[in-house]
Amino acid sequence: IQDMKQGIEQLAEQIRLADAIVIGAGSGLSSAAGYNHYHWTDAMEGFLQDFKACYGFSSPFAGFYYCYSSPEQQWAYYTRYIYSMYQLPTGQPYLGLKEIVSGKDYFVLTTNVDMQCERVFPEDRVCAYQGNMGYFQCSQPCCDHLYENREMIENMNRALQGVTMPPEMVPRCPECGRIMVPWVRDDTFLEGTVWKSAVKRYEDFLASYLIRQPEKKVLLLELGVGEMTPGVIKLPFWSMTEKNPQVFYACLNQKHSSAPEHLKGRSIYIEGDLAETLSELRRQLEKRS
C-alpha cells in the first residue's frame, strides 16, 4: 500500500496515459457515498428505521435476505428498501468518478445493485453483473422479461401498512401470476437477454483493446471491491494485468487489500476513505489539465 499523496499522483498520471479505463465498482463505492448496505448509516436508516426496530436487522441487506413469515412482510421491506434507493440523491463519489473518466473511453463493471452507476453512466457503458433493484423479474422465472419498477414501487410504498403489505399489492408476474422478486442475484436470478447483452458489451470492450489493439494502454480501476465475490472483478483484473504488459491495475479501498507480488511495478494500491481519495484524484487531474 502506497503513501496516499504519492499514490494519487501516480494514479492521475496513469489515467492521463490510458487509452481506455475499465472501472470495477464494488460495494465500498456506495458505502463511500453514504449508502452502506452491510452496516446502518443515517441515510438508509431514516427510511428503514421501523423495520430495523421491528426485526432487529443488523444491516439493510440483513433485511433483504431475511426469511419472512409471509410475502406481504417480505415485500413491505423490499418496497421500502427500493423506494429509499430512488429517493436518496446520487452519491458524490459517483459524480466525481464520472468527471475523472470524462474524455476517456471507459466501461463500468459493477457488483452493486443500488442503481447508482446507472444514474451516472450511460446504460451501454455499464454491466450490472449482480442485477439492479430498479427491475422486477418473475420468481420462476417463467419468461425472459424484466419489469421497470419505479411507478410500481411508489404505489406500493403508499399502500404499506406499517411493516406489512396488503396482499393485493404484492407484485405478480403478468405472464404466469407467480410473485415477482427484485432483479438481484440469488438462486432464481434471471440471466436473460438484458444480462447477457450487458456482459457481452463488457467482453467486447475488453476485446477491442486487449485483443484487437494490444498496444493501447488500459487502466483497470478497482473501487471498493471486497472479498465476497472476487471472481467478478478482482481476480479477472489481476489476470488481465498479468497477461497484458500494457495493462495497469489500480486498487482503491478503505481497508487493506491483497496486493499480488507478481503485479509489482504495474499496480497501485491506495488505502483510505474512497470519497476523499476520488475527490483528491479529481483535483490532481484538474490541476494538471
Side-chain angles (χ1 to χ4, degrees), residues 197-234:
S197 297
V199 171
K200 186 175 187 303
R201 287 196 303 273
Y202 171 60
E203 291 173 345
D204 287 348
F205 184 87
L206 292 177
S208 69
Y209 286 95
L210 303 183
I211 296 173
R212 293 193 283 278
Q213 304 177 85
E215 75 284 357
K216 297 286 189 180
K217 293 186 180 298
V218 177
L219 172 64
L220 304 180
L221 185 58
E222 181 189 301
L223 304 171
V225 174
E227 307 294 334
M228 285 182 65
T229 53
V232 179
I233 297 173
K234 188 178 288 290

mmCIF file of all heavy atoms in Angstrom, residues 197-234:
data_model
loop_
_atom_site.group_PDB
_atom_site.id
_atom_site.type_symbol
_atom_site.label_atom_id
_atom_site.label_comp_id
_atom_site.label_asym_id
_atom_site.label_seq_id
_atom_site.Cartn_x
_atom_site.Cartn_y
_atom_site.Cartn_z
ATOM 1 N N SER A 197 -26.631 -9.396 -22.701
ATOM 2 C CA SER A 197 -26.224 -8.278 -23.558
ATOM 3 C C SER A 197 -25.217 -7.387 -22.854
ATOM 4 O O SER A 197 -24.247 -6.921 -23.464
ATOM 5 C CB SER A 197 -27.449 -7.452 -23.976
ATOM 6 O OG SER A 197 -28.333 -8.231 -24.753
ATOM 7 N N ALA A 198 -25.442 -7.133 -21.563
ATOM 8 C CA ALA A 198 -24.521 -6.294 -20.793
ATOM 9 C C ALA A 198 -23.160 -6.964 -20.648
ATOM 10 O O ALA A 198 -22.115 -6.316 -20.786
ATOM 11 C CB ALA A 198 -25.114 -5.978 -19.421
ATOM 12 N N VAL A 199 -23.163 -8.257 -20.362
ATOM 13 C CA VAL A 199 -21.901 -8.996 -20.245
ATOM 14 C C VAL A 199 -21.157 -8.996 -21.580
ATOM 15 O O VAL A 199 -19.932 -8.817 -21.623
ATOM 16 C CB VAL A 199 -22.157 -10.440 -19.758
ATOM 17 C CG1 VAL A 199 -20.884 -11.278 -19.844
ATOM 18 C CG2 VAL A 199 -22.684 -10.442 -18.325
ATOM 19 N N LYS A 200 -21.895 -9.152 -22.674
ATOM 20 C CA LYS A 200 -21.265 -9.144 -23.997
ATOM 21 C C LYS A 200 -20.659 -7.771 -24.308
ATOM 22 O O LYS A 200 -19.559 -7.679 -24.873
ATOM 23 C CB LYS A 200 -22.267 -9.532 -25.080
ATOM 24 C CG LYS A 200 -21.624 -9.676 -26.463
ATOM 25 C CD LYS A 200 -22.591 -10.176 -27.499
ATOM 26 C CE LYS A 200 -21.886 -10.481 -28.819
ATOM 27 N NZ LYS A 200 -21.150 -9.338 -29.375
ATOM 28 N N ARG A 201 -21.346 -6.687 -23.934
ATOM 29 C CA ARG A 201 -20.794 -5.337 -24.148
ATOM 30 C C ARG A 201 -19.476 -5.180 -23.397
ATOM 31 O O ARG A 201 -18.512 -4.610 -23.915
ATOM 32 C CB ARG A 201 -21.783 -4.266 -23.680
ATOM 33 C CG ARG A 201 -22.983 -4.083 -24.577
ATOM 34 C CD ARG A 201 -23.707 -2.774 -24.289
ATOM 35 N NE ARG A 201 -24.145 -2.633 -22.914
ATOM 36 C CZ ARG A 201 -25.306 -3.081 -22.448
ATOM 37 N NH1 ARG A 201 -26.153 -3.699 -23.263
ATOM 38 N NH2 ARG A 201 -25.642 -2.902 -21.179
ATOM 39 N N TYR A 202 -19.445 -5.696 -22.170
ATOM 40 C CA TYR A 202 -18.215 -5.641 -21.368
ATOM 41 C C TYR A 202 -17.101 -6.444 -22.030
ATOM 42 O O TYR A 202 -15.970 -5.955 -22.199
ATOM 43 C CB TYR A 202 -18.510 -6.168 -19.962
ATOM 44 C CG TYR A 202 -17.289 -6.362 -19.095
ATOM 45 C CD1 TYR A 202 -16.441 -5.298 -18.788
ATOM 46 C CD2 TYR A 202 -16.978 -7.617 -18.572
ATOM 47 C CE1 TYR A 202 -15.325 -5.478 -17.983
ATOM 48 C CE2 TYR A 202 -15.868 -7.803 -17.768
ATOM 49 C CZ TYR A 202 -15.045 -6.725 -17.486
ATOM 50 O OH TYR A 202 -13.930 -6.917 -16.686
ATOM 51 N N GLU A 203 -17.422 -7.664 -22.444
ATOM 52 C CA GLU A 203 -16.413 -8.523 -23.072
ATOM 53 C C GLU A 203 -15.936 -7.928 -24.399
ATOM 54 O O GLU A 203 -14.748 -8.005 -24.727
ATOM 55 C CB GLU A 203 -16.990 -9.926 -23.281
ATOM 56 C CG GLU A 203 -17.210 -10.674 -21.965
ATOM 57 C CD GLU A 203 -17.940 -11.997 -22.143
ATOM 58 O OE1 GLU A 203 -18.534 -12.204 -23.231
ATOM 59 O OE2 GLU A 203 -17.924 -12.805 -21.196
ATOM 60 N N ASP A 204 -16.854 -7.328 -25.149
ATOM 61 C CA ASP A 204 -16.472 -6.689 -26.414
ATOM 62 C C ASP A 204 -15.558 -5.495 -26.187
ATOM 63 O O ASP A 204 -14.627 -5.245 -26.959
ATOM 64 C CB ASP A 204 -17.723 -6.242 -27.185
ATOM 65 C CG ASP A 204 -18.496 -7.408 -27.792
ATOM 66 O OD1 ASP A 204 -17.945 -8.528 -27.805
ATOM 67 O OD2 ASP A 204 -19.630 -7.194 -28.248
ATOM 68 N N PHE A 205 -15.830 -4.749 -25.121
ATOM 69 C CA PHE A 205 -14.986 -3.594 -24.799
ATOM 70 C C PHE A 205 -13.566 -4.059 -24.480
ATOM 71 O O PHE A 205 -12.587 -3.499 -24.983
ATOM 72 C CB PHE A 205 -15.568 -2.822 -23.609
ATOM 73 C CG PHE A 205 -14.814 -1.561 -23.277
ATOM 74 C CD1 PHE A 205 -15.123 -0.361 -23.906
ATOM 75 C CD2 PHE A 205 -13.778 -1.562 -22.337
ATOM 76 C CE1 PHE A 205 -14.425 0.803 -23.612
ATOM 77 C CE2 PHE A 205 -13.079 -0.415 -22.037
ATOM 78 C CZ PHE A 205 -13.398 0.776 -22.675
ATOM 79 N N LEU A 206 -13.464 -5.097 -23.662
ATOM 80 C CA LEU A 206 -12.142 -5.641 -23.335
ATOM 81 C C LEU A 206 -11.432 -6.136 -24.592
ATOM 82 O O LEU A 206 -10.252 -5.833 -24.809
ATOM 83 C CB LEU A 206 -12.279 -6.794 -22.338
ATOM 84 C CG LEU A 206 -12.752 -6.457 -20.924
ATOM 85 C CD1 LEU A 206 -12.902 -7.734 -20.110
ATOM 86 C CD2 LEU A 206 -11.788 -5.498 -20.218
ATOM 87 N N ALA A 207 -12.149 -6.873 -25.423
ATOM 88 C CA ALA A 207 -11.547 -7.441 -26.634
ATOM 89 C C ALA A 207 -11.081 -6.349 -27.594
ATOM 90 O O ALA A 207 -10.056 -6.506 -28.282
ATOM 91 C CB ALA A 207 -12.542 -8.356 -27.335
ATOM 92 N N SER A 208 -11.810 -5.227 -27.642
ATOM 93 C CA SER A 208 -11.456 -4.154 -28.568
ATOM 94 C C SER A 208 -10.076 -3.577 -28.255
ATOM 95 O O SER A 208 -9.405 -3.046 -29.141
ATOM 96 C CB SER A 208 -12.511 -3.050 -28.525
ATOM 97 O OG SER A 208 -12.473 -2.353 -27.297
ATOM 98 N N TYR A 209 -9.629 -3.707 -26.998
ATOM 99 C CA TYR A 209 -8.292 -3.237 -26.621
ATOM 100 C C TYR A 209 -7.305 -4.394 -26.447
ATOM 101 O O TYR A 209 -6.253 -4.430 -27.074
ATOM 102 C CB TYR A 209 -8.380 -2.394 -25.338
ATOM 103 C CG TYR A 209 -8.981 -1.039 -25.609
ATOM 104 C CD1 TYR A 209 -10.331 -0.804 -25.421
ATOM 105 C CD2 TYR A 209 -8.200 0.008 -26.104
ATOM 106 C CE1 TYR A 209 -10.894 0.428 -25.704
ATOM 107 C CE2 TYR A 209 -8.746 1.245 -26.389
ATOM 108 C CZ TYR A 209 -10.090 1.456 -26.190
ATOM 109 O OH TYR A 209 -10.648 2.670 -26.480
ATOM 110 N N LEU A 210 -7.633 -5.339 -25.603
ATOM 111 C CA LEU A 210 -6.668 -6.384 -25.248
ATOM 112 C C LEU A 210 -6.345 -7.307 -26.413
ATOM 113 O O LEU A 210 -5.223 -7.827 -26.498
ATOM 114 C CB LEU A 210 -7.201 -7.207 -24.069
ATOM 115 C CG LEU A 210 -7.533 -6.422 -22.788
ATOM 116 C CD1 LEU A 210 -7.972 -7.373 -21.696
ATOM 117 C CD2 LEU A 210 -6.352 -5.578 -22.335
ATOM 118 N N ILE A 211 -7.306 -7.506 -27.312
ATOM 119 C CA ILE A 211 -7.080 -8.421 -28.444
ATOM 120 C C ILE A 211 -6.812 -7.646 -29.738
ATOM 121 O O ILE A 211 -5.814 -7.883 -30.415
ATOM 122 C CB ILE A 211 -8.290 -9.368 -28.622
ATOM 123 C CG1 ILE A 211 -8.432 -10.263 -27.385
ATOM 124 C CG2 ILE A 211 -8.124 -10.222 -29.883
ATOM 125 C CD1 ILE A 211 -9.682 -11.127 -27.371
ATOM 126 N N ARG A 212 -7.698 -6.703 -30.056
ATOM 127 C CA ARG A 212 -7.574 -6.023 -31.344
ATOM 128 C C ARG A 212 -6.586 -4.861 -31.340
ATOM 129 O O ARG A 212 -6.060 -4.488 -32.384
ATOM 130 C CB ARG A 212 -8.958 -5.549 -31.810
ATOM 131 C CG ARG A 212 -9.883 -6.723 -32.155
ATOM 132 C CD ARG A 212 -11.108 -6.259 -32.895
ATOM 133 N NE ARG A 212 -12.088 -5.634 -32.016
ATOM 134 C CZ ARG A 212 -12.966 -6.304 -31.276
ATOM 135 N NH1 ARG A 212 -12.979 -7.630 -31.307
ATOM 136 N NH2 ARG A 212 -13.838 -5.682 -30.530
ATOM 137 N N GLN A 213 -6.337 -4.257 -30.170
ATOM 138 C CA GLN A 213 -5.380 -3.150 -30.075
ATOM 139 C C GLN A 213 -4.464 -3.343 -28.861
ATOM 140 O O GLN A 213 -4.455 -2.523 -27.940
ATOM 141 C CB GLN A 213 -6.108 -1.804 -29.940
ATOM 142 C CG GLN A 213 -7.095 -1.503 -31.049
ATOM 143 C CD GLN A 213 -7.819 -0.185 -30.803
ATOM 144 O OE1 GLN A 213 -7.323 0.886 -31.157
ATOM 145 N NE2 GLN A 213 -8.990 -0.266 -30.183
ATOM 146 N N PRO A 214 -3.687 -4.425 -28.844
ATOM 147 C CA PRO A 214 -2.904 -4.758 -27.650
ATOM 148 C C PRO A 214 -1.826 -3.733 -27.311
ATOM 149 O O PRO A 214 -1.264 -3.773 -26.217
ATOM 150 C CB PRO A 214 -2.286 -6.120 -27.998
ATOM 151 C CG PRO A 214 -2.269 -6.151 -29.493
ATOM 152 C CD PRO A 214 -3.479 -5.397 -29.934
ATOM 153 N N GLU A 215 -1.543 -2.827 -28.248
ATOM 154 C CA GLU A 215 -0.535 -1.795 -27.969
ATOM 155 C C GLU A 215 -1.119 -0.633 -27.157
ATOM 156 O O GLU A 215 -0.376 0.185 -26.601
ATOM 157 C CB GLU A 215 0.045 -1.258 -29.293
ATOM 158 C CG GLU A 215 -0.852 -0.307 -30.085
ATOM 159 C CD GLU A 215 -1.993 -1.005 -30.836
ATOM 160 O OE1 GLU A 215 -2.058 -2.257 -30.793
ATOM 161 O OE2 GLU A 215 -2.802 -0.291 -31.459
ATOM 162 N N LYS A 216 -2.438 -0.560 -27.055
ATOM 163 C CA LYS A 216 -3.086 0.528 -26.321
ATOM 164 C C LYS A 216 -2.954 0.320 -24.812
ATOM 165 O O LYS A 216 -2.926 -0.814 -24.330
ATOM 166 C CB LYS A 216 -4.577 0.600 -26.694
ATOM 167 C CG LYS A 216 -4.848 0.923 -28.152
ATOM 168 C CD LYS A 216 -4.582 2.380 -28.461
ATOM 169 C CE LYS A 216 -5.071 2.749 -29.851
ATOM 170 N NZ LYS A 216 -4.814 4.162 -30.177
ATOM 171 N N LYS A 217 -2.907 1.438 -24.082
ATOM 172 C CA LYS A 217 -2.780 1.371 -22.622
ATOM 173 C C LYS A 217 -4.164 1.320 -21.977
ATOM 174 O O LYS A 217 -5.024 2.158 -22.264
ATOM 175 C CB LYS A 217 -2.008 2.599 -22.106
ATOM 176 C CG LYS A 217 -0.550 2.626 -22.542
ATOM 177 C CD LYS A 217 0.190 3.773 -21.898
ATOM 178 C CE LYS A 217 1.642 3.819 -22.333
ATOM 179 N NZ LYS A 217 2.393 2.609 -21.945
ATOM 180 N N VAL A 218 -4.353 0.320 -21.106
ATOM 181 C CA VAL A 218 -5.633 0.124 -20.427
ATOM 182 C C VAL A 218 -5.413 0.203 -18.917
ATOM 183 O O VAL A 218 -4.510 -0.448 -18.380
ATOM 184 C CB VAL A 218 -6.261 -1.237 -20.794
ATOM 185 C CG1 VAL A 218 -7.563 -1.457 -20.033
ATOM 186 C CG2 VAL A 218 -6.504 -1.324 -22.296
ATOM 187 N N LEU A 219 -6.228 1.006 -18.247
ATOM 188 C CA LEU A 219 -6.194 1.103 -16.794
ATOM 189 C C LEU A 219 -7.388 0.357 -16.221
ATOM 190 O O LEU A 219 -8.536 0.618 -16.584
ATOM 191 C CB LEU A 219 -6.246 2.573 -16.361
ATOM 192 C CG LEU A 219 -6.404 2.809 -14.850
ATOM 193 C CD1 LEU A 219 -5.196 2.293 -14.076
ATOM 194 C CD2 LEU A 219 -6.645 4.290 -14.561
ATOM 195 N N LEU A 220 -7.122 -0.589 -15.328
ATOM 196 C CA LEU A 220 -8.176 -1.285 -14.594
ATOM 197 C C LEU A 220 -8.292 -0.615 -13.233
ATOM 198 O O LEU A 220 -7.374 -0.689 -12.414
ATOM 199 C CB LEU A 220 -7.843 -2.770 -14.438
ATOM 200 C CG LEU A 220 -7.567 -3.542 -15.739
ATOM 201 C CD1 LEU A 220 -7.250 -4.998 -15.424
ATOM 202 C CD2 LEU A 220 -8.759 -3.444 -16.689
ATOM 203 N N LEU A 221 -9.422 0.055 -12.996
ATOM 204 C CA LEU A 221 -9.608 0.871 -11.796
ATOM 205 C C LEU A 221 -10.613 0.193 -10.878
ATOM 206 O O LEU A 221 -11.828 0.282 -11.074
ATOM 207 C CB LEU A 221 -10.092 2.269 -12.213
ATOM 208 C CG LEU A 221 -10.245 3.335 -11.127
ATOM 209 C CD1 LEU A 221 -8.926 3.562 -10.395
ATOM 210 C CD2 LEU A 221 -10.749 4.639 -11.753
ATOM 211 N N GLU A 222 -10.099 -0.497 -9.864
ATOM 212 C CA GLU A 222 -10.945 -1.245 -8.935
ATOM 213 C C GLU A 222 -11.271 -0.377 -7.724
ATOM 214 O O GLU A 222 -10.372 0.103 -7.037
ATOM 215 C CB GLU A 222 -10.216 -2.519 -8.496
ATOM 216 C CG GLU A 222 -11.014 -3.378 -7.540
ATOM 217 C CD GLU A 222 -10.185 -4.517 -6.959
ATOM 218 O OE1 GLU A 222 -9.682 -5.341 -7.735
ATOM 219 O OE2 GLU A 222 -10.043 -4.555 -5.721
ATOM 220 N N LEU A 223 -12.567 -0.203 -7.452
ATOM 221 C CA LEU A 223 -13.012 0.730 -6.416
ATOM 222 C C LEU A 223 -13.906 0.035 -5.391
ATOM 223 O O LEU A 223 -15.015 -0.397 -5.710
ATOM 224 C CB LEU A 223 -13.781 1.893 -7.047
ATOM 225 C CG LEU A 223 -13.043 2.685 -8.136
ATOM 226 C CD1 LEU A 223 -13.991 3.643 -8.825
ATOM 227 C CD2 LEU A 223 -11.861 3.430 -7.541
ATOM 228 N N GLY A 224 -13.413 -0.104 -4.169
ATOM 229 C CA GLY A 224 -14.245 -0.603 -3.084
ATOM 230 C C GLY A 224 -14.724 -2.019 -3.261
ATOM 231 O O GLY A 224 -15.838 -2.361 -2.848
ATOM 232 N N VAL A 225 -13.905 -2.875 -3.846
ATOM 233 C CA VAL A 225 -14.282 -4.281 -4.059
ATOM 234 C C VAL A 225 -13.824 -5.108 -2.861
ATOM 235 O O VAL A 225 -12.644 -5.091 -2.500
ATOM 236 C CB VAL A 225 -13.665 -4.828 -5.358
ATOM 237 C CG1 VAL A 225 -13.928 -6.325 -5.498
ATOM 238 C CG2 VAL A 225 -14.218 -4.062 -6.566
ATOM 239 N N GLY A 226 -14.747 -5.824 -2.258
ATOM 240 C CA GLY A 226 -14.416 -6.640 -1.100
ATOM 241 C C GLY A 226 -14.020 -8.055 -1.484
ATOM 242 O O GLY A 226 -13.727 -8.352 -2.646
ATOM 243 N N GLU A 227 -14.055 -8.935 -0.502
ATOM 244 C CA GLU A 227 -13.619 -10.320 -0.714
ATOM 245 C C GLU A 227 -14.779 -11.287 -0.937
ATOM 246 O O GLU A 227 -14.575 -12.484 -1.089
ATOM 247 C CB GLU A 227 -12.814 -10.795 0.513
ATOM 248 C CG GLU A 227 -11.659 -9.884 0.917
ATOM 249 C CD GLU A 227 -10.549 -9.840 -0.125
ATOM 250 O OE1 GLU A 227 -10.416 -10.822 -0.882
ATOM 251 O OE2 GLU A 227 -9.842 -8.815 -0.196
ATOM 252 N N MET A 228 -16.031 -10.776 -0.976
ATOM 253 C CA MET A 228 -17.186 -11.673 -1.056
ATOM 254 C C MET A 228 -17.321 -12.320 -2.433
ATOM 255 O O MET A 228 -17.637 -13.505 -2.546
ATOM 256 C CB MET A 228 -18.476 -10.911 -0.718
ATOM 257 C CG MET A 228 -18.642 -10.634 0.773
ATOM 258 S SD MET A 228 -20.184 -9.779 1.122
ATOM 259 C CE MET A 228 -21.388 -11.016 0.652
ATOM 260 N N THR A 229 -17.121 -11.548 -3.495
ATOM 261 C CA THR A 229 -17.251 -12.086 -4.855
ATOM 262 C C THR A 229 -16.016 -11.714 -5.674
ATOM 263 O O THR A 229 -16.127 -10.987 -6.669
ATOM 264 C CB THR A 229 -18.526 -11.543 -5.544
ATOM 265 O OG1 THR A 229 -18.524 -10.101 -5.475
ATOM 266 C CG2 THR A 229 -19.774 -12.073 -4.889
ATOM 267 N N PRO A 230 -14.845 -12.196 -5.297
ATOM 268 C CA PRO A 230 -13.621 -11.792 -6.000
ATOM 269 C C PRO A 230 -13.572 -12.258 -7.450
ATOM 270 O O PRO A 230 -12.834 -11.707 -8.258
ATOM 271 C CB PRO A 230 -12.506 -12.450 -5.179
ATOM 272 C CG PRO A 230 -13.166 -13.626 -4.520
ATOM 273 C CD PRO A 230 -14.568 -13.158 -4.217
ATOM 274 N N GLY A 231 -14.368 -13.255 -7.794
ATOM 275 C CA GLY A 231 -14.337 -13.792 -9.142
ATOM 276 C C GLY A 231 -14.961 -12.903 -10.198
ATOM 277 O O GLY A 231 -14.799 -13.147 -11.390
ATOM 278 N N VAL A 232 -15.685 -11.860 -9.778
ATOM 279 C CA VAL A 232 -16.340 -10.979 -10.750
ATOM 280 C C VAL A 232 -15.395 -9.863 -11.204
ATOM 281 O O VAL A 232 -15.249 -9.610 -12.398
ATOM 282 C CB VAL A 232 -17.635 -10.368 -10.161
ATOM 283 C CG1 VAL A 232 -18.295 -9.438 -11.184
ATOM 284 C CG2 VAL A 232 -18.604 -11.463 -9.740
ATOM 285 N N ILE A 233 -14.729 -9.201 -10.258
ATOM 286 C CA ILE A 233 -13.875 -8.055 -10.603
ATOM 287 C C ILE A 233 -12.410 -8.318 -10.263
ATOM 288 O O ILE A 233 -11.541 -8.295 -11.137
ATOM 289 C CB ILE A 233 -14.364 -6.774 -9.894
ATOM 290 C CG1 ILE A 233 -15.777 -6.397 -10.379
ATOM 291 C CG2 ILE A 233 -13.393 -5.609 -10.135
ATOM 292 C CD1 ILE A 233 -16.426 -5.256 -9.624
ATOM 293 N N LYS A 234 -12.121 -8.577 -9.003
ATOM 294 C CA LYS A 234 -10.733 -8.586 -8.529
ATOM 295 C C LYS A 234 -9.844 -9.606 -9.238
ATOM 296 O O LYS A 234 -8.799 -9.254 -9.806
ATOM 297 C CB LYS A 234 -10.700 -8.820 -7.013
ATOM 298 C CG LYS A 234 -9.316 -8.652 -6.401
ATOM 299 C CD LYS A 234 -9.334 -8.834 -4.898
ATOM 300 C CE LYS A 234 -9.991 -7.673 -4.171
ATOM 301 N NZ LYS A 234 -9.154 -6.437 -4.240
#
